Amino acid sequence: MLAVTALAAAVCGVTVSPAATAAVHIGARAGTATAIPGFLIQSSSQVSDDAAVSRPGFSTTGWYPVTARSTVYAGLLRNGEYPDPFYSTRMRDVPKSRFQVPWWYRADLSLDSTDQRTYLDFSGVLSKADVWLNGTRIATRDDVNGAYTRHELDVTAQVHQGVNSVAFKVYPNDPNKDLSMGWIDWAQTPPDQNMGIVRDVLVRRGGPVALRGAHVVTRLNSALSHVDLTVKADVRNDSAGAVSTVVSGTVAGRAISQTVSLAAREKKTVTFGAVGVDDPNVWWPAGMGAQPLYDLDLGAAVDGTASDASHTRFGVRTVTAKLNSSGGRSYTINGRPLLVKGGGWSPDLFLRWNATYASDKLKYVKDLGLNTVRLEGHIEPDEFFDLADRYGVLTLPGWECCDKWEGQVNGDENGDEWTAADYPIAKASMTAEAERLRNHPSVISFLIGSDFAPDATIEKNYLDALSAADWPVPVVPAASASSSPQLGDSGMKMNGPYDWIPPNYWYDKAHEDGGGAWSFNSETSAGPDIPTMDTLNRMMSPTELNTLWSNYSAAQYHRSQSSTFGNIKLFGDALTGRYGRPSNLTDFVRKAQLAQYENVRAEFESHNRDFTDGSDPSTGLIYWMLNSGWTSLHWQLFDYYLDQNGAYYGAKKAGEPLHIQYSYDNRSVVVVNQNHAAASGLTAVVKLYNLDGTEKFTQTRTGLSVGGDGAKATALTIPSVSGLSTTYLAKLVLTDASGREVSRNVYWLSTKSDVLDWDSSDWYYTPTTAYADLKGLSGMAQVSVGTTATSVNGADGTTTTTVTLRNTSSGKVPAFYLDVHVVGAGGAPVLPIQWNDNAVSLWPGESTTLTAKYRTADLNGSAPSVRVAGWNTGTQTVGVR
């Protein structure tokens, strides 16, 4: 388990599984698939004879060892060729010329025998390659083309007992010309444009009959009391003679068997009779139920000898995504309504896979109270979806915008038009991803378009591929408000915003081109998400940090390669207009955290509230984005190092299962219940305070009831209150029938409203002509906070730290926005970490207990301390008992 500094190294490929330099042992047992654990790479400019590279004994002196999944630049980073690319502008200084020629990936394979057939099985080449084996080219870049196409090369005739050599000559990747992966406006593009191999290359062994594509078609009844399981598999005779094979195994523990006759080189899709299971273990998203999985195990035998074997896991669930009466796409799962709440997923900028890191990010999704991640391109490897299945995190994979994927229909966006050769590559990509993802219950749709829907020809190819793969969940034509000839309207919108707008924006329903809380918004946020000071110091130089707060118009390398999002001017101007001009970097960062908290909270709360509206309900929200693949200043609920800022805690607060919230549009106080069961006997208390702590309004609503599955109930509407300071605080508390506090929510509000100029809206924001006045916060009186902390080490390798905070002041002023970090050696935050709550406010005499859970190893051998930073309390660090 990794400390935070080691985590960064691991993601950089430094401490991930070592690259292989010796020959990889390939056993002879039928049905095995061995992943090549690593390669040696070198520029083609250093190679004079292509055929020689793949001959055993070829000298690789000076070649670079890399892991099994590595782009060229990631491999060079691993070998220390370049410094940390996530700091300052170091990556910008890397010469691109080195990556404008092909690069070789080479490995040696040691075969026990040639008694079995041998195959190379791979996808994830960015974006094309020649494949060589033992001095012979066995596939060309015309054959191996496209990041998602899957290839199985029968190399039985080319291999021999002992050492064999395989080599991939990988050609430069260009997302505008190739059906691969690009970075659009998310981040700066790596200098190699991610050329390389980013999924496993498998060496398969088997007998005359190969077993491929085993999957289960599930038919779950509406009562969830019975499911029919229909198993299908492709059975292929790769020998020169006819064979009879017995395909047998178990599905959900029930035996199945079938005898299949195959002519020479013949392939058949075998369908087994439906297996009925009563009272099945149904798979649910996190927060709605459990995530049980079933097993499918099959084997093929010829004359009683094993020829091949297959194992996969699957879940039982039913997903629908119909258009509602307002035209929005409304999801259900297992018959229950589902408000899709999530964020846009980003892999590591260099496409390095680290299972621990991916697991940590998915655990954050659950901690935030979200249920979904959208993968616009960058569709992760199999282990990612295994994790999503296990954790109950829903996924929305699909093709990406703004490059070759939409080149045929993309209007003014980037991406070359398709040639005749692109259509079969795109269809093969769809086939490969459909077959790979169909068994995963976490996958609830595939978006075959992003900014644009495909034309008739492309759509038909995609749908034919999906149908042939028994694709089990809805297909959506686009993430935007588009339509395609067969599928019709998408039921989604992509109206932005993508840059700063005020919190009240999210409650708008009057503007059909706006991003307010109605319909299914596939990507949207208020843009910049400034990290914590800990992370900023890791990613930017002192000069860059000074520019960040003092010159909002300056270009920011760590924001985006897009000129539209090249600086933080909209955000910075709003920060100054609403909170007052920052006096230094620390003041800028702390004000940014407040701004991000209130904005992200309002975004999610507005959609939660409007989910059950009778007209134009909010049916889905994808925050743009969940995370960033590098050290970024925008579009992230948590940063690259997994630190949690105001955006994180604003989303987490809105994600409470039973939640009390304030409405910026009509001043109503609403209780939203995301639990399945209804809640009753609730009491809502609302108090308004001036910043000196004077209470100006209080109202209590008792006997409140609210239904389940996202239902809401209005507790009260706050009337006009006289005597409020220009900036004031609202404290909302919800207790259950026993008096236990179940939700607490504190807002900082103004008697002056943010005013939007809707008529001047652009695709990425709506201008604000007048700002709410929150400057009074800077004048809040200082108060004292008492802090105690204890830790307990668990048997599972984790530590739980419990922190008790108490406002010990004798006056009336609250301790505002208390942010707590567990820190280790040198005061570095311990990450990842999960708190039950954070960024809290306490009135005099109030106390709260916060708990944090993290890996003990991430302390790196040091004793934990707790750092508490409050808006008006100063910063203190206390030891942990």
Side-chain angles (χ1 to χ4, degrees):
M1 298 190 181
L2 306 168
V4 62
T5 52
L7 171 60
V11 175
C12 290
V14 177
T15 60
V16 185
S17 57
T21 54
V24 182
H25 176 258
I26 307 297
R29 185 165 60 87
T32 60
T34 304
I36 297 177
F39 297 92
L40 295 169
I41 68 169
Q42 182 58 273
S43 169
S44 64
S45 66
Q46 305 299 306
V47 175
S48 58
D49 182 353
D50 284 6
V53 174
S54 66
R55 293 190 184 115
F58 176 79
S59 175
T60 55
T61 301
W63 285 48
Y64 303 96
V66 303
T67 53
R69 308 169 188 180
S70 178
T71 64
V72 173
Y73 182 53
L76 296 178
L77 287 172
R78 183 184 188 278
N79 283 273
E81 285 283 297
Y82 299 106
D84 177 9
F86 291 162
Y87 180 76
S88 188
T89 57
R90 286 173 174 170
M91 190 172 69
R92 185 178 63 189
D93 301 330
V94 175
K96 297 180 180 178
S97 58
R98 194 174 187 183
F99 310 106
Q100 293 172 350
V101 298
W103 277 70
W104 283 98
Y105 283 64
R106 186 187 188 280
D108 286 335
L109 315 174
S110 178
L111 269 65
D112 285 350
S113 73
T114 56
D115 293 342
Q116 302 286 349
R117 303 194 69 84
T118 305
Y119 310 84
L120 290 178
D121 183 349
F122 60 91
S123 65
V125 175
L126 273 71
S127 70
K128 56 181 75 73
D130 298 331
V131 185
W132 293 74
L133 180 66
N134 293 337
T136 300
R137 186 168 63 182
I138 58 175
T140 71
R141 59 179 168 172
D142 293 329
D143 304 314
V144 179
N145 192 329
Y148 297 103
T149 54
R150 186 171 181 177
H151 309 276
E152 186 178 21
L153 307 179
D154 187 339
V155 295
T156 304
Q158 285 80 32
V159 296
H160 53 255
Q161 187 173 352
V163 176
N164 300 258
S165 299
V166 61
F168 292 77
K169 186 178 184 180
V170 179
Y171 289 81
N173 178 47
D174 184 344
N176 287 325
K177 299 181 181 300
D178 305 315
L179 291 170
S180 60
M181 304 179 195
W183 285 102
I184 319 171
D185 48 13
W186 303 5
Q188 299 291 344
T189 293
D192 68 341
Q193 296 202 86
N194 292 134
M195 69 182 296
I197 301 175
V198 299
R199 293 182 182 170
D200 285 344
V201 177
L202 302 176
V203 182
R204 293 189 179 275
R205 305 302 302 277
V209 172
L211 194 59
R212 300 289 186 265
H215 63 284
V216 183
V217 177
T218 63
R219 295 286 183 266
L220 179 65
N221 68 4
S222 59
L224 312 185
S225 60
H226 181 88
V227 65
D228 286 327
L229 308 176
T230 301
V231 174
K232 294 186 177 183
D234 291 334
V235 184
R236 189 182 68 217
N237 177 15
D238 288 335
S239 72
V243 298
S244 176
T245 181
V246 176
V247 181
S248 61
T250 59
V251 56
R254 278 75 167 174
I256 54 175
S257 182
Q258 191 171 150
T259 300
V260 183
S261 297
L262 296 165
R265 314 299 181 190
E266 184 181 13
K267 181 180 80 171
K268 290 181 179 178
T269 298
V270 176
T271 301
F272 293 85
V275 173
V277 178
D278 290 329
D279 299 319
N281 296 319
V282 176
W283 189 94
W284 292 94
M288 297 180 73
Q291 293 79 46
L293 296 172
Y294 287 103
D295 292 303
L296 168 63
D297 289 285
L298 288 179
V302 176
D303 295 329
T305 300
S307 182
D308 207 352
S310 170
H311 170 77
T312 191
R313 307 202 80 191
F314 66 97
V316 172
R317 56 89 177 94
T318 299
V319 177
T320 68
K322 298 177 180 178
L323 300 184
N324 61 30
S325 59
S326 301
R329 191 163 293 274
S330 296
Y331 280 80
T332 70
I333 187 159
N334 302 328
R336 283 168 53 183
L338 175 70
L339 173 59
V340 173
K341 298 186 299 179
W345 178 270
S346 176
D348 169 76
L349 186 64
F350 312 123
L351 307 183
R352 297 166 294 195
W353 172 253
N354 181 292
T356 299
Y357 189 52
S359 174
D360 290 337
K361 291 189 288 184
L362 288 172
K363 288 177 181 177
Y364 271 13
V365 173
K366 294 176 62 177
D367 184 55
L368 285 163
L370 306 180
N371 55 28
T372 304
V373 293
R374 178 184 167 209
L375 296 90
E376 182 187 356
H378 302 93
I379 306 176
E380 293 277 44
D382 294 344
E383 297 97 321
F384 171 85
F385 294 94
D386 291 339
L387 288 169
D389 291 345
R390 188 192 317 164
Y391 296 153
V393 176
L394 303 172
T395 64
L396 290 171
W399 307 129
E400 65 195 52
C401 83
C402 314
D403 57 22
K404 184 60 176 270
W405 281 102
E406 294 185 348
Q408 202 66 2
V409 292
N410 65 359
D412 296 329
E413 293 180 356
N414 293 332
D416 289 1
E417 289 188 11
W418 288 21
T419 67
D422 294 314
Y423 290 87
I425 294 172
K427 184 175 183 180
S429 301
M430 187 74 265
T431 295
E433 290 304 287
E435 291 180 348
R436 187 172 73 94
L437 300 179
R438 61 191 167 190
N439 277 322
H440 289 283
S442 58
V443 179
I444 59 167
S445 274
F446 199 97
L447 280 66
I448 58 173
S450 179
D451 289 21
F452 297 90
D455 63 23
T457 301
I458 298 172
E459 179 193 36
K460 184 178 186 303
N461 285 342
Y462 287 155
L463 294 181
D464 286 350
L466 288 158
S467 176
D470 293 321
W471 185 249
V473 291
V475 182
V476 180
S480 62
S482 302
S483 63
S484 59
Q486 289 190 54
L487 294 175
D489 291 339
S490 70
M492 294 193 166
K493 67 176 183 179
M494 192 187 287
N495 297 344
Y498 298 91
D499 214 323
W500 192 86
I501 44 80
N504 61 353
Y505 175 98
W506 302 110
Y507 290 84
D508 174 73
K509 278 193 172 187
H511 298 87
E512 63 181 14
D513 58 348
W518 53 275
S519 193
F520 193 119
N521 202 333
S522 66
E523 49 180 67
T524 185
S525 75
D529 287 307
I530 306 300
T532 63
M533 189 70 79
D534 295 297
T535 292
L536 286 171
N537 284 326
R538 296 180 69 177
M539 62 184 270
M540 299 173 76
S541 70
T543 299
E544 290 165 340
L545 290 174
N546 185 65
T547 300
L548 177 67
W549 75 269
S550 63
N551 183 1
Y552 301 144
S553 298
Q556 292 293 342
Y557 185 70
H558 284 267
R559 183 151 192 222
S560 173
Q561 61 187 338
S562 163
S563 59
T564 303
F565 306 117
N567 59 42
I568 62 165
K569 180 172 174 51
L570 291 176
F571 176 82
D573 287 349
L575 199 69
T576 294
R578 301 173 87 243
Y579 289 91
R581 175 161 288 281
S583 56
N584 51 45
L585 175 63
T586 300
D587 193 36
F588 168 79
V589 174
R590 73 180 195 137
K591 287 175 175 174
Q593 303 317 311
L594 291 188
Q596 290 158 192
Y597 186 109
E598 59 163 341
N599 211 313
V600 174
R601 175 177 59 180
E603 180 174 350
F604 281 103
E605 285 182 340
S606 62
H607 288 73
N608 288 342
R609 188 196 72 174
D610 290 357
F611 174 51
T612 53
D613 281 3
S615 63
D616 280 340
S618 165
T619 59
L621 170 64
I622 300 297
Y623 187 87
W624 210 245
M625 299 178 62
L626 174 75
N627 68 297
S628 181
W630 80 320
T631 45
S632 177
L633 296 170
H634 81 160
W635 294 351
Q636 56 189 354
L637 291 176
F638 51 88
D639 66 41
Y640 180 79
Y641 299 113
L642 304 180
D643 205 354
Q644 302 159 345
N645 61 8
Y648 188 97
Y649 289 115
K652 181 176 172 67
K653 177 56 63 176
E656 291 176 334
L658 184 58
H659 179 64
I660 188 169
Q661 62 186 62
Y662 169 79
S663 303
Y664 281 82
D665 57 342
N666 60 18
R667 297 172 60 86
S668 63
V669 174
V670 176
V671 177
V672 179
N673 183 14
Q674 305 287 352
N675 297 312
H676 182 50
S680 60
L682 304 173
T683 297
V685 179
V686 178
K687 295 179 181 289
L688 305 185
Y689 298 87
N690 286 349
L691 293 183
D692 64 1
T694 302
E695 183 180 305
K696 302 299 294 184
F697 172 84
T698 182
Q699 189 169 336
T700 300
R701 168 73 185 278
T702 61
L704 188 65
S705 297
V706 58
D709 291 332
K712 64 172 179 252
T714 299
L716 58 96
T717 297
I718 300 174
S720 176
V721 177
S722 61
L724 284 173
S725 51
T726 303
T727 308
Y728 63 96
L729 302 176
K731 180 170 68 172
L732 285 53
V733 177
L734 185 70
T735 55
D736 63 16
S738 68
R740 181 178 63 92
E741 184 176 292
V742 293
S743 179
R744 176 188 177 96
N745 212 346
V746 175
Y747 294 79
W748 41 106
L749 303 170
S750 176
T751 56
K752 297 181 180 180
S753 299
D754 294 295
V755 179
L756 289 147
D757 181 6
W758 289 101
D759 291 339
S760 299
S761 295
D762 207 334
W763 65 272
Y764 63 99
Y765 86 114
T766 296
T768 305
T769 57
Y771 294 120
D773 186 350
L774 302 172
K775 300 181 185 67
L777 292 170
S778 295
M780 288 183 71
Q782 294 289 297
V783 299
S784 57
V785 172
T787 304
T788 60
T790 60
S791 284
V792 175
N793 293 334
D796 58 351
T798 64
T799 294
T800 298
T801 295
T802 301
V803 182
T804 299
L805 305 173
R806 178 180 294 275
N807 184 338
T808 57
S809 61
S810 58
K812 298 184 294 184
V813 178
F816 182 58
Y817 200 85
L818 298 168
D819 175 40
V820 187
H821 272 73
V822 175
V823 296
V830 178
L831 302 170
I833 194 166
Q834 291 190 17
W835 292 90
N836 67 321
D837 198 5
N838 211 327
V840 297
S841 297
L842 298 174
W843 269 252
E846 289 186 332
S847 66
T848 189
T849 298
L850 308 179
T851 59
K853 189 173 183 178
Y854 50 92
R855 288 187 289 261
T856 307
D858 288 346
L859 287 166
N860 204 25
S862 67
S865 297
V866 170
R867 185 181 69 207
V868 182
W871 176 264
N872 61 332
T873 68
T875 300
Q876 58 176 305
T877 301
V878 301
V880 177
R881 291 183 284 110

